[in-house]
Amino acid sequence: MGIGFKKTIATLAVAGALTLGGGAIADAAPDRAPLPAVAGMTESDAVQALSDAGFSDVSSDYDRPDATVVGTNFQAGDKVSENAAILLIVGAG
């Protein structure tokens, strides 16, 4: 592999980590709360669990309430700003 190709892959990896993780911005806020584990829940149950934990900006990459959540853009247990945008990553159900 050429040096240019390796630099491109490294740049894409960093960009992807920043896009998916976004933790640096969320962790800077003082109003942080641990993100509940929602993987395995239905989309509607996950939204409710996140709302109960104080998170209000929750969206989904697949809008179907009975679909199963496979993850979020933050890891469960991470301390995240309650104002952070939480993205539910869901499967087809």
Side-chain angles (χ1 to χ4, degrees):
M1 279 189 233
I3 298 280
F5 181 75
K6 289 180 182 178
K7 285 183 180 179
T8 301
I9 296 299
T11 301
L12 290 173
V14 169
L18 290 174
T19 300
L20 293 176
I25 294 170
D27 285 342
D31 58 338
R32 295 181 295 165
L35 190 74
V38 295
M41 294 182 179
T42 64
E43 180 183 348
S44 57
D45 287 345
V47 169
Q48 185 62 52
L50 290 163
S51 177
D52 291 348
F55 297 98
S56 58
D57 188 2
V58 179
S59 62
S60 171
D61 68 345
Y62 184 76
D63 190 22
R64 190 168 149 199
D66 63 337
T68 302
V69 174
V70 295
T72 63
N73 57 328
F74 297 96
Q75 290 187 355
D78 281 355
K79 289 198 174 194
V80 180
S81 168
E82 292 176 344
N83 297 321
I86 308 298
L87 174 66
L88 295 175
I89 303 164
V90 298

